[in-house]
Amino acid sequence: VCLTCCSRDVMVKIDQVCHKNSVKFFTGDVFGYHGYMFADLGEHEFVEEKTKVAKVSPGVEDGPDTKKAKLDSSETTMVKKRVVFCQLKEALAVDWSGEKAKAALKRTAPDYFLLQ
């Protein structure tokens, strides 16, 4: 489900229904130069391709970089990952008065507060 130009209450209600029924939910809007986007994908599983790191044997190369690990782009492994997304209601219910939240405030984009 994709929503835009909806009130906060409508977005929260539809996200709750989608989350309950394991339906992916996206919402967003733009206000001039600023905008926001939110995604609730529930439990999302995906596969990520990782490049193997090969260590260089001593004496193979000269110079200070001899001991550094190098990427071997010919060998890759597939790593299965799982991410659990929060609901919109939870994302909007952050208590900004706590110490942990104060530290997160520095990393939070000002556009987050447009939705508030």
Side-chain angles (χ1 to χ4, degrees), residues 47-53 72-80:
V47 177
E48 185 176 68
E49 190 175 355
K50 292 273 188 178
T51 305
K52 283 191 177 183
V53 177
D72 183 5
S73 60
S74 62
E75 288 191 53
T76 59
T77 57
M78 301 304 267
V79 179
K80 187 175 183 178

Side-chain angles (χ1 to χ4, degrees), residues 19-112:
H19 194 85
K20 181 180 174 184
N21 294 296
S22 299
V23 174
K24 293 176 181 5
F25 173 81
F26 298 89
T27 187
D29 211 339
V30 177
F31 307 100
Y33 289 111
H34 300 279
Y36 68 88
M37 181 270 190
F38 179 83
D40 178 1
L41 305 179
E43 290 186 26
H44 182 67
E45 291 186 355
F46 61 97
V47 177
E48 185 176 68
E49 190 175 355
K50 292 273 188 178
T51 305
K52 283 191 177 183
V53 177
K55 292 192 177 187
V56 178
S57 302
V60 174
E61 291 183 24
D62 292 355
D65 296 337
T66 303
K67 294 182 182 179
K68 286 188 179 177
K70 295 198 175 187
L71 294 176
D72 183 5
S73 60
S74 62
E75 288 191 53
T76 59
T77 57
M78 301 304 267
V79 179
K80 187 175 183 178
K81 294 194 175 186
R82 181 176 165 264
V83 177
V84 179
F85 286 74
C86 72
Q87 294 183 40
L88 181 60
K89 185 176 183 178
E90 295 170 21
L92 295 174
V94 175
D95 178 17
W96 293 101
S97 62
E99 285 299 316
K100 202 173 187 182
K102 286 180 184 177
L105 184 60
K106 294 175 184 173
R107 297 185 315 268
T108 303
D111 295 348
Y112 166 81

